[in-house]
């Protein structure tokens, strides 16, 4: 079955960076886009961007451009999201999600990774 | 890209029907039939209920239905059950080849 398993919770100080991983299994990793979604505590879902695991091409939400980097390692079927220059209001749960090709919806989600930014 | 507009909260009694609206623009909801709806229970990842405006993935109850008119999409839940109490989010593909979510709606089953 399709599974996306994310790395564990992280704590960072303001100004630092964090890299979250999302390991895919149960399907051909290069066949489906991976998106990243942020959810601050008690807040809604916020789309961050996508990566095409086949080509490595990316598209980021304007808000995150210059600040986020999405990469992948096809040899281990893993996508990564790195957020730099963290601030305290970046504390959130980050989800990766698989896009169902052709319909732009997410049919599988990771379990979420809590990133806490605190000094 | 501004978030799609959803009511902050809705409520209904068991057995009733409720509808959640999601308003965007001609650059997202109005321009494409790529509207989807997600249900999220506290502490859990979202789960898709509707895709492509009105399609249900296998395994999703037929109590959930979706529609669209112009720049506004809607999710209707019929025969409300206690387990439906959750947060609901709409999303849409946009003309910038990006995705935008709604602000979310908290459903309370009275």
């Amino acid at each position: 079955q399709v599974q996306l398993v994310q790395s564990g919770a992280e704590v960072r100080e303001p100004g630092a960076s964090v890299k979250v991983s999302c390991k895919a299994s149960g399907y051909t990793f290069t066949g489906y886009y991976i998106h990243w979604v942020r959810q601050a505590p008690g807040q809604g879902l916020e789309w961050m961007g996508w990566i095409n695991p086949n080509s490595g091409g990316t598209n980021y939400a304007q808000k995150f451009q210059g600040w986020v980097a999405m990469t992948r390692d096809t040899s281990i079927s893993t996508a990564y999201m790195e957020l730099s220059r963290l601030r305290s209001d970046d504390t959130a749960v980050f989800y990766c999600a698989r896009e169902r090709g052709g319909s732009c919806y997410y049919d599988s989600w990771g379990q979420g990774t809590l990133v806490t930014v605190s000094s | 890209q501004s978030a799609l507009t959803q009511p902050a909260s809705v409520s209904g009694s068991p057995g009733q029907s409720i509808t959640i609206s999601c308003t965007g623009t001609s650059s997202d909801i109005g321009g494409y039939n790529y509207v989807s709806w997600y249900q999220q229970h506290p502490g859990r990842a979202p789960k898709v209920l509707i895709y492509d405006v009105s399609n249900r993935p296998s395994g999703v109850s037929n109590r959930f239905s979706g529609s669209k008119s112009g720049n506004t999409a809607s999710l209707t839940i019929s025969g409300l059950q206690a387990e439906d109490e959750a947060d609901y989010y709409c999303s849409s593909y946009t003309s910038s080849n990006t995705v935008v979510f709604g602000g979310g709606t908290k459903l309370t089953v009275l």
Side-chain angles (χ1 to χ4, degrees):
Chain A
Q1 75 283 19
V2 174
Q3 261 196 314
L4 298 174
V5 178
Q6 299 182 222
S7 48
E10 303 270 13
V11 179
R12 293 286 186 274
E13 292 190 347
S17 298
V18 69
K19 191 171 186 177
V20 179
S21 67
C22 171
K23 183 171 177 58
S25 62
Y27 73 98
T28 302
F29 177 63
T30 52
Y32 299 81
Y33 283 33
I34 293 289
H35 294 233
W36 289 89
V37 177
R38 181 171 84 166
Q39 187 169 38
Q43 302 300 308
L45 304 175
E46 182 175 28
W47 184 79
M48 300 179 68
W50 55 251
I51 181 167
N52 176 346
N54 187 42
S55 67
T58 57
N59 191 15
Y60 305 139
Q62 189 171 9
K63 172 178 182 176
F64 294 98
Q65 287 178 7
W67 182 30
V68 69
M70 296 178 188
T71 57
R72 91 294 190 213
D73 184 337
T74 57
S75 69
I76 55 172
S77 299
T78 299
Y80 301 93
M81 185 282 299
E82 184 170 19
L83 203 56
S84 59
R85 304 189 302 278
L86 291 167
R87 307 183 317 186
S88 56
D89 60 0
D90 290 322
T91 293
V93 173
F94 293 84
Y95 293 101
C96 62
R98 187 183 85 155
E99 177 194 327
R100 186 74 171 186
S103 288
C104 198
Y105 74 97
Y106 308 123
D107 64 353
S108 185
W109 293 70
Q111 81 276 22
T113 297
L114 173 62
V115 175
T116 302
V117 183
S118 174
S119 55
Chain B
Q1 181 76 47
S2 300
L4 305 174
T5 301
Q6 297 181 232
S9 63
V10 297
S11 63
S13 299
Q16 287 186 332
S17 295
I18 63 96
T19 296
I20 299 171
S21 62
C22 172
T23 301
T25 68
S26 58
S27 295
D28 38 66
I29 291 178
Y32 307 91
N33 287 324
Y34 292 141
V35 178
S36 50
W37 289 89
Y38 301 87
Q39 176 191 62
Q40 186 182 35
H41 287 106
R44 304 293 299 273
K47 168 192 169 184
V48 64
L49 298 174
I50 298 289
Y51 68 94
D52 292 357
V53 176
S54 60
N55 292 317
R56 268 189 318 276
S58 60
V60 173
S61 171
N62 59 9
R63 297 187 299 107
F64 296 94
S65 62
S67 63
K68 187 185 90 166
S69 177
N71 296 338
T72 299
S74 299
L75 172 72
T76 297
I77 309 174
S78 59
L80 268 181
Q81 299 177 0
E83 68 212 47
D84 298 333
E85 186 160 296
D87 294 325
Y88 292 82
Y89 295 91
C90 58
S91 76
S92 176
Y93 177 77
T94 82
S95 58
S96 302
N97 196 21
T98 62
V99 173
V100 61
F101 282 100
T105 298
K106 181 176 180 59
L107 169 61
T108 301
V109 180
L110 302 171

